Amino acid sequence: MKYDEVVETLASYIVKKWEFDNGTKNIAKLILKDSMGCMVKSLNNNQCKKMLGPVENGAYVERGIMVPGQRKGLGLLDASWNLGILVRWLDYNDCFLAEEWGHPSDNLGGIIAAAYHQAETGNKITVGDVLNFMIKAHEIQGVLSLCNSLNRNGYDHVFFVKLATAAVVSEILGGNEETIKNTIANVFADGAPLRIYRHAPNVTTRKSWAAGDATMRGVRMALLTKKLDEGYPNILTEPDWGFNANVMNDKNITVSRELGDYVVRNILFKADFPAEFHAQTGAEAAMRLSEKYNGRLDSIKEIRISTHESAVRIIAHKEKLTNPSDRDHSLEYIIAVALINGDLKTEYYYDEYHNSHPEIDQLIKKMKVIENPRYSNDYLDPEKRSVTNAVQLIFSDDEASELIEVEYPIGHKFRRSEVEPVIDRKFRSNVTGYFNTNEIEELDKLFDDEEKLFDMEIRDFMKKWVK
């Protein structure tokens, strides 16, 4: 049955047998390593730990899916949820920015859980297979983000997580092209959540678990469609009730480039400091200024920050920062604590730290954030995809510091040579405290031999992360 063109394009991409080259596979391996480290780091967060385990108390599963932080197995949906929130909780995993933004490794929750689930039925699924599925999910979420802005219509980017997870998991579960099209159509019919939980005065920890919820819902849609294989061929274009008319405000959702491995190739890794990605270069600029001017922060009269439109709209000019979820998405807060400390740690967002450091708010009151149109254009330029911030300090005697402009964050493709040692250092830091020294060495070595890693069964791989 012929579906809307976008649905046809996505399903055709999923079922094609792709042989990704070594460069793409190496980046995918780094994404997996980084994501696993983020999962373990999240186990230190008390709010995150409250959300772990089965949604229904006591609903563990014999021979279930093993998840970091859980000593008993979980069912497929619960495992997708747990893995998804662990990857995403600290906002420390990879990122892709365009008209829409998001974190494509959020899809790993559903992908790993589904692969593990299928392996339990006798199908050999390796880490290499999982990475191929992951590359496809990254591509779907990222390419849809290039020219389709959900946020401008009030909807949350995790809809694209649900969609990408569902499409890939449908394949993992044995779906053919028709089933995958029906699954995608059901996701579009399911709709998108509002962004209300990401914006003041309604910011809550839901922004930390929304992606886990989305990847779990993607798995659920794949399962439901497998049971009764029905869909909606005109789900996007139906003039009264379709997705384009009702969610996109009559703008057609599009696939703006040929699908392949573009998104993994252009993925943005977060450096070994946690900051919302639009603020990463601002944090780096502030750290450089801190090296020279840390002893003069009391005499600052004004802090001038130039940034791109998305940062102004999403993470700047917040009047109140009432919880960690607010603070780690505040450009001004991130720059303030980076100036004060010369680094950036998750702990700086906690209530205790904020309440005991009044100088943070004093610096924020001196900040002036403006949009630089060139930065905004370069942010959307497919050949650049820059995420520029510039910071300058003006002192009470009218002396000005140098203007520190950082165009590309360390995790950008144009600084790719810097990424691998950063990911290695970040990984070891993330898992320290949960695993002992010998266990860390063993986990780190998993990623040294690519051939051995890619051929490892996914169940064996995941069991190494459970204590």
Side-chain angles (χ1 to χ4, degrees), residues 75-92:
L76 176 52
L77 295 179
D78 279 330
S80 302
W81 157 259
N82 277 248
L83 292 168
I85 63 172
L86 286 172
V87 170
R88 184 71 184 93
W89 193 273
L90 297 175
D91 194 14
Y92 212 4

Side-chain angles (χ1 to χ4, degrees), residues 19-40:
E19 288 294 333
F20 298 109
D21 65 27
N22 290 335
T24 297
K25 290 179 180 178
N26 183 61
I27 298 171
K29 180 196 72 172
L30 288 179
I31 292 171
L32 179 63
K33 183 175 185 177
D34 187 41
S35 299
M36 297 307 300
C38 290
M39 287 190 203
V40 175

Side-chain angles (χ1 to χ4, degrees), residues 59-265:
Y60 291 99
V61 177
E62 186 177 354
R63 291 183 58 82
I65 298 164
M66 300 307 296
V67 170
Q70 299 295 299
R71 295 182 180 180
K72 297 180 181 179
L74 296 170
L76 176 52
L77 295 179
D78 279 330
S80 302
W81 157 259
N82 277 248
L83 292 168
I85 63 172
L86 286 172
V87 170
R88 184 71 184 93
W89 193 273
L90 297 175
D91 194 14
Y92 212 4
N93 55 325
D94 68 17
C95 189
F96 189 78
L97 307 176
E99 284 288 341
E100 191 54 69
W101 40 81
H103 305 264
S105 57
D106 294 345
N107 294 286
L108 276 170
I111 292 171
I112 291 175
Y116 196 121
H117 172 79
Q118 285 298 94
E120 284 291 337
T121 67
N123 298 307
K124 181 181 178 181
I125 299 185
T126 66
V127 173
D129 295 328
V130 167
L131 292 180
N132 281 341
F133 295 133
M134 185 194 78
I135 293 167
K136 291 181 180 181
H138 270 61
E139 190 74 355
I140 290 173
Q141 181 178 345
V143 170
L144 286 174
S145 298
L146 291 175
C147 295
N148 305 292
S149 177
L150 296 170
N151 64 78
R152 291 185 184 276
N153 297 324
Y155 295 106
D156 197 25
H157 66 264
V158 298
F159 171 77
F160 287 150
V161 175
K162 179 169 62 173
L163 181 63
T165 293
V168 171
V169 168
S170 184
E171 182 190 29
I172 295 172
L173 297 179
N176 58 26
E177 188 166 359
E178 192 70 17
T179 302
I180 293 170
K181 287 191 288 187
N182 287 337
T183 300
I184 293 169
N186 272 301
V187 174
F188 278 118
D190 203 42
L194 299 176
R195 282 187 61 88
I196 187 169
Y197 47 82
R198 297 191 188 275
H199 299 276
N202 296 296
V203 178
T204 67
T205 55
R206 179 165 179 163
K207 77 179 185 61
S208 297
W209 58 258
D213 180 58
T215 193
M216 178 271 290
R217 288 175 185 267
V219 173
R220 186 172 183 271
M221 279 294 157
L223 287 169
L224 291 175
T225 307
K226 184 180 179 182
K227 284 180 175 291
L228 193 59
D229 202 354
E230 297 175 330
Y232 314 95
N234 60 346
I235 185 63
L236 299 178
T237 58
E238 207 285 329
D240 294 320
W241 309 109
F243 190 88
N244 291 339
N246 290 283
V247 175
M248 300 301 292
N249 285 337
D250 288 320
K251 181 179 180 181
N252 292 338
I253 196 166
T254 61
V255 176
S256 59
R257 61 173 295 124
E258 185 176 353
L259 298 172
D261 59 0
Y262 174 81
V263 174
V264 163
R265 287 281 191 172

